[in-house]
Amino acid sequence: MNAPVARENLQGLDLLAEIQRLKKERNAVILAHYYQKPEIQDLADFVGDSLELSKRAAETDADVIAFCGVKFMAETAKILSPQKTVILPDMAAGCSLEDACPPGKFKAFREAHPDHIALTYINCSAEVKALSDIIVTSSSAETILSQIPPEQKIIFGPDRHLGGYLSRKFNRDMLLWPGVCIVHEAFSETELLKLKAQHRGVPVAAHPECPPHIIDHADYVGSTSGILQYAQTITGDTLIVATEPHIIHQMEKAEPTKTFIGAPGADGNCACNICPYMALNTMEKLYLALRDLQPQIHLDETVRLGAKKSLDRMLEMASGTVGKGDLGRA
Ligand code: 13P
Ligand code: SF4
């Protein structure tokens, strides 16, 4: 159920002060993904990529986790910290990758390939996690894949671009589920090449959810935290960024003298690379969520325990990868 934001007049309220007050009152921690609006990133207790946020959610001693991200991220927090109240400002904040992988179809696919293990991207529902063997994020995928014996057959879902990238890099066949991120899918190769021609010698950093025709032009490929670190290591003063543009806020904070240019979409100037799901979270909805402790994540306990198994495998196998942005160049 969504927070009834439209029905309340919050005008005149100092939202930042109210959020801080409620956070104390509730003993809440605010976790935010790099794709959130700048004002939300700035008030969060921690901003990170999917793996870092999972770890924080597992470790926090707060009573309430206010998750400013999308639903699969808040569900992950609940799976790892079931005794805590987990709120998501807008329950409609989904993900095209999750939508592309309905649990029933995924289960049937697994049953059709009993000799394969399921290595599954964290961008999926709790049900799909429970049907999987090991979860990966973009910053842990490579470390985890390198620990799986070469003869072991693998189903990789739901992101066929991340799966394809890993498959090419590791020279390893995997059965790929046909999901895509609508945001990274929208980058235009033609427009990127025009931009590169205007900025000769400027490097490109890309998220592995990008299709291969974008990855092929990247100097660095990695998770959001990996891209952020790369932005701090380039020797030049400009970087082209092929991922959701709200991450540029953190880059500009870390490197105020450098210039970060968002990679273009199809008409060279569209807002199609802003994640429409992440954008649903607002200050107003965060305030209401903290005030009412709604909308809240609830999970069936059998599903939660199944999903926890595959997430715990990830956390064990990925130990040491946090913040390294370890995918590196293709
Ligand atoms: P990261 O784990 O790299 O932050 O990716 C999350 C995501 O949804 C990217 O679209
Ligand atoms: Fe999902 Fe793409 Fe949005 Fe990430 S950017 S949450 S993968 S739709």
Side-chain angles (χ1 to χ4, degrees), residues 2-3 5 19 30-41 43 66-74 87-94 246 274-287 289 294-295:
N2 292 347
V5 67
I19 288 168
I30 300 176
L31 304 181
H33 188 264
Y34 290 124
Y35 296 167
Q36 290 292 285
K37 298 176 204 312
E39 61 268 31
I40 292 183
Q41 293 189 36
L43 65 76
F67 213 113
C68 297
V70 291
K71 191 170 159 219
F72 77 80
M73 296 178 175
I87 50 176
L88 178 66
D90 192 321
M91 203 50 92
H246 283 109
I274 290 179
C275 175
Y277 307 104
M278 292 273 183
L280 289 174
N281 295 324
T282 60
M283 294 282 280
E284 287 81 0
K285 291 181 200 171
L286 175 58
Y287 159 74
Q294 290 292 341

Side-chain angles (χ1 to χ4, degrees), residues 72 75 97-98 101 120-126 128-129 135 158:
F72 77 80
E75 278 186 352
L97 286 167
E98 176 178 346
C101 193
T120 306
Y121 194 30
I122 197 165
N123 298 38
C124 64
S125 64
V128 168
K129 286 183 178 72
I135 300 302

Side-chain angles (χ1 to χ4, degrees), residues 80-325:
L80 296 171
S81 286
Q83 71 288 3
K84 303 199 190 312
T85 299
V86 179
I87 50 176
L88 178 66
D90 192 321
M91 203 50 92
C95 172
S96 64
L97 286 167
E98 176 178 346
D99 293 347
C101 193
K105 282 194 177 161
F106 188 70
K107 185 168 185 280
F109 191 68
R110 282 226 63 180
E111 283 167 1
H113 301 93
D115 53 344
H116 287 61
I117 61 163
L119 195 62
T120 306
Y121 194 30
I122 197 165
N123 298 38
C124 64
S125 64
E127 288 83 357
V128 168
K129 286 183 178 72
L131 291 164
S132 302
D133 296 295
I134 312 168
I135 300 302
V136 300
T137 67
S138 51
S139 62
S140 63
E142 197 167 315
T143 307
I144 290 173
L145 187 55
S146 65
Q147 294 171 56
I148 300 173
E151 63 282 4
Q152 175 62 59
K153 293 178 181 168
I154 298 174
I155 290 170
F156 188 94
D159 186 355
R160 72 180 164 94
H161 291 322
L162 173 59
Y165 171 74
L166 292 166
S167 184
R168 290 191 300 281
K169 189 163 182 184
F170 279 70
N171 194 20
R172 186 162 182 165
D173 271 345
M174 298 193 284
L175 276 181
L176 303 181
W177 187 268
V180 296
C181 160
I182 50 166
V183 170
H184 291 85
E185 184 77 351
F187 289 119
S188 156
E189 182 181 22
T190 310
E191 294 300 327
L192 178 60
L193 289 176
K194 277 192 214 162
L195 189 67
K196 277 177 71 114
Q198 283 162 21
H199 299 272
R200 291 214 179 271
V202 166
V204 176
H207 197 280
E209 288 174 12
C210 289
H213 56 259
I214 299 296
I215 298 280
D216 284 349
H217 303 293
D219 299 274
Y220 176 83
V221 182
S223 70
T224 49
S225 58
I227 292 175
L228 184 55
Q229 284 177 15
Y230 180 70
Q232 292 167 68
T233 59
I234 51 163
T235 47
D237 61 2
T238 309
L239 177 67
I240 296 172
V241 181
T243 192
E244 214 273 4
H246 283 109
I247 195 175
I248 290 176
H249 179 59
Q250 290 296 328
M251 294 177 177
E252 287 173 342
K253 278 171 82 170
E255 296 286 337
T257 60
K258 290 181 184 169
T259 303
F260 301 103
I261 308 171
D267 72 359
N269 197 23
C270 65
C272 47
N273 303 114
I274 290 179
C275 175
Y277 307 104
M278 292 273 183
L280 289 174
N281 295 324
T282 60
M283 294 282 280
E284 287 81 0
K285 291 181 200 171
L286 175 58
Y287 159 74
L288 289 171
L290 279 165
R291 189 192 71 182
D292 303 339
L293 293 183
Q294 290 292 341
Q296 229 184 86
I297 301 286
H298 296 287
L299 291 171
D300 172 89
E301 187 60 3
T302 311
V303 169
R304 189 190 73 78
L305 289 172
K308 187 172 182 305
K309 254 193 185 165
S310 58
L311 273 168
D312 283 344
R313 290 289 302 279
M314 170 184 81
L315 293 171
E316 280 159 34
M317 294 175 82
S319 57
T321 58
V322 168
K324 284 196 187 142

Side-chain angles (χ1 to χ4, degrees), residues 5-37:
V5 67
R7 270 173 262 136
E8 292 210 31
N9 183 2
L10 302 178
Q11 261 177 12
L13 211 59
D14 181 343
L15 286 171
L16 181 57
E18 283 300 300
I19 288 168
Q20 302 290 17
R21 179 184 67 77
L22 285 165
K23 197 181 82 146
K24 259 200 188 145
E25 216 171 281
R26 300 283 192 202
N27 186 27
V29 65
I30 300 176
L31 304 181
H33 188 264
Y34 290 124
Y35 296 167
Q36 290 292 285
K37 298 176 204 312

